[in-house]
Every structure is written in C-alpha cells, then in structure tokens.
Amino acid sequence: MCIFNINLSQPSNRPQIVSYSEFVYFDRCSMEMTIKKRKQYIQALQNNKLLKGLPEYRLQNILNDLEEETWTKHTCRVDRQKSLFHFYFILSGRLKVYKVDKDTGREFTLFILTKNDVFDVLCLLEQTEHPVYYETLDKVGLLCAPMGKMRQWVQENPEINRNMLPYLGQQLKTMEEYASNVTLIDISTRLAKLILTHINSESKKLELINDLSNEELANLIGSTRAVVNRHLQDFKNDGILSLGRQKVEIKNLQLLLERANISSQKKPNTAADDLTEK
C-alpha cells in the first residue's frame, strides 16, 4: 500500500510516493517528539515563579492555550501592544527590560529577566500599556498566552496570586535598592554591589551579567560605559577581578566585599553574604 506525500521543497509539486510503513514511522516519530516536548514544557511550567505549586492537570490545561515563540538574539521589541494583549513565560535566554530617555538617548535597565521569569505583570494587573522596551541578550525561548486567558487562570488558581506577591516584592526590592544606591553611594561601590548580587553562592561564579558589555553594566547602575570601564580596570589592577573579552571573573571575593562596604562578619542575607560564610 502506498500514499502520496507532497514535497513542497521541490520545484514542482509532483507527489512523492512513500510507503505506508514509512508514513507510519514518520508519524510515530512526530508524535513522540510532541509528547517529549510537552513533558519539557510541563516541567518548565512547574518551575515557573508564578505557576509553581499548581497540580499537573491544571498545568496541562494551561499548556493547551500556550504557544511557543523564539526571539532571536539582540532583537529589540518596541511594540507595547504585544505585551498588553499577551503574557509570556520565559523558557530560556535573557531578556533586558529597559527605559530610554527620548531627549538624551540614555538607557536605564530595570531588570534582566531569565528562565522561569514572566512578563508583563503590570499589563496583567493594570490592563494598560507598560512604557518599557524589551531586548534579547540571547536567543530567548518563550511560551505565550492571551492576556485574557492569563487573567482567567489567576482567578481560577489562588496559587498564582500567592506566587505573584513575593515575585513582585522581589522586583520592588530591586528598584528600592537601586534608588538608594544611586542616591547614597558612589559608582565604584554600586558596581561592586551589582557584581556581588549576581554571584552564585554554590559555584562562586558570576552569572547573568558575566558576559555583558561595559555599556550594559553601566545601564544597570545608572552610569556610563567610560566610568564603568575605569572602575573595572581598577578592580583588575587591585586583584579583585580578571577581565576577558566581555567576560568577568572573581579573583578575590574578600576584596570585592570590602569595595562594596559589606562586612564578612555580617549575617548571611544575600548570595554574597552566603559566600563569606563558606
């Protein structure tokens, strides 16, 4: 028995004869790939900061209304209507959320979102545009839901509300720390604190910002590329860091703590503090 399979990649649309057994094999492989990918998505949703704790059957229902999207590296998303009507779960990659001064062109980075983060929560809650821009620092994998569906899930699943409060609280804390840092401390200390914030307490390695350009680092602390470059060179000369091509590594954690005015005797509250206890 044979069936016809149209191969659109050929110049003509002449049917290509494929045996029934081959067709069944290809169909089975496709189904297995679909099942495998669905399991991966369910696992990703289980680890998501808003959806953790939901029963798997609810996640299965949610997944039915999600669509996969891939945003290429260094793509700037300026269409605010997209995030007004769609809610996103990040599967992989880093996404910069930032504002731009229209007169000077200067940028300020609000957050760097990554795996298990979501956006845009303000659009979800306020039902209005959020005046920010998005830029992919890597290729970013996402699952996308209609905003109306997301609001429905929030109403139907109290766990999402419980997860949302600490998630928003952490973002509020980040903004509070930035406001106090930019007002009260010098740029060298700001830079040291930024680096310490992104050290993995287990591996003792710098993550998330380790390969960012000096300009991107400057946008995170309210400075300029030239000033950040000067302070990084000072850190290097003092034996605190080693600098490669868009790569920063920690050489002396104790000196970095001193630059950030953090006492090694302080009780651990942050990843950086945890490191001093080990």
Side-chain angles (χ1 to χ4, degrees):
M1 179 179 179
C2 293
I3 63 170
F4 290 99
N5 179 34
I6 303 297
N7 186 349
L8 298 179
S9 64
Q10 295 179 347
S12 66
N13 286 339
R14 180 179 299 174
Q16 179 184 4
I17 298 178
V18 180
S19 70
Y20 179 73
S21 60
E22 288 178 311
F23 175 78
V24 172
Y25 172 76
F26 290 138
D27 190 52
R28 186 185 301 117
C29 288
S30 176
M31 184 179 297
E32 288 175 354
M33 286 295 293
T34 301
I35 293 173
K36 183 178 180 181
K37 184 170 263 191
R38 191 173 179 89
K39 287 182 178 179
Q40 291 174 344
Y41 288 159
I42 288 296
Q43 185 176 13
L45 294 179
Q46 287 173 332
N47 294 326
N48 184 267
K49 294 176 182 178
L50 287 196
L51 301 181
K52 60 183 180 181
L54 265 68
E56 184 172 336
Y57 76 91
R58 292 188 183 176
L59 294 177
Q60 293 282 1
N61 291 335
I62 288 174
L63 184 57
N64 291 335
D65 291 306
L66 296 178
E67 292 185 1
E68 182 183 18
E69 290 190 16
T70 301
W71 294 1
T72 56
K73 186 176 181 179
H74 295 317
T75 300
C76 182
R77 301 280 170 163
V78 297
D79 183 7
R80 293 170 184 164
Q81 290 289 309
K82 186 74 173 173
S83 57
L84 177 60
F85 295 109
H86 298 84
F87 193 83
Y88 291 92
F89 302 88
I90 300 180
L91 300 175
S92 61
R94 294 172 296 174
L95 185 70
K96 179 176 73 170
V97 186
Y98 66 102
K99 284 180 172 284
V100 179
D101 185 283
K102 293 181 179 179
D103 296 326
T104 65
R106 286 192 61 182
E107 293 183 11
F108 169 59
T109 301
L110 296 167
F111 307 104
I112 295 180
L113 304 180
T114 187
K115 182 180 179 180
N116 297 327
D117 278 315
V118 298
F119 68 98
D120 189 307
V121 176
L122 286 184
C123 292
L124 173 68
L125 297 177
E126 297 186 351
Q127 303 186 38
T128 186
E129 286 187 7
H130 187 191
V132 296
Y133 299 100
Y134 301 95
E135 181 182 343
T136 55
L137 301 177
D138 312 296
K139 183 172 78 171
V140 176
L142 308 128
L143 290 176
C144 172
M147 191 63 82
K149 275 289 183 182
M150 186 61 199
R151 293 193 179 102
Q152 177 185 331
W153 297 332
V154 171
Q155 292 177 350
E156 295 173 350
N157 300 279
E159 297 92 339
I160 298 179
N161 267 325
R162 287 197 292 268
N163 292 333
M164 193 180 302
L165 287 176
Y167 185 72
L168 289 174
Q170 184 59 48
Q171 292 189 335
L172 181 62
K173 181 181 178 182
T174 299
M175 290 294 95
E176 181 184 37
E177 289 179 350
Y178 171 78
S180 60
N181 288 345
V182 78
T183 305
L184 302 175
I185 64 177
D186 58 78
I187 293 175
S188 177
T189 306
R190 274 185 252 165
L191 182 59
K193 283 179 174 286
L194 175 70
I195 294 171
L196 285 168
T197 301
H198 292 90
I199 293 177
N200 185 303
S201 60
E202 296 297 327
S203 66
K204 300 185 180 181
K205 292 184 178 180
L206 188 62
E207 296 181 346
L208 195 63
I209 65 168
N210 61 301
D211 61 347
L212 295 185
S213 67
N214 291 351
E215 184 172 3
E216 292 289 1
L217 294 175
N219 292 340
L220 283 163
I221 60 173
S223 184
T224 64
R225 180 190 59 79
V227 173
V228 165
N229 180 65
R230 184 170 71 248
H231 287 296
L232 285 175
Q233 292 300 324
D234 289 342
F235 287 4
K236 176 183 177 181
N237 294 335
D238 291 340
I240 298 174
L241 306 174
S242 67
L243 304 176
R245 183 176 177 82
Q246 289 194 344
K247 187 175 182 180
V248 178
E249 292 184 358
I250 310 299
K251 302 295 288 185
N252 191 316
L253 179 62
Q254 185 57 43
L255 288 178
L256 184 61
L257 287 165
E258 292 174 6
R259 283 297 181 95
N261 294 326
I262 296 176
S263 170
S264 61
Q265 302 302 317
K266 183 181 175 183
K267 291 183 179 180
N269 290 316
T270 66
D273 293 326
D274 290 339
L275 288 169
T276 65
E277 299 294 316
K278 295 184 177 181

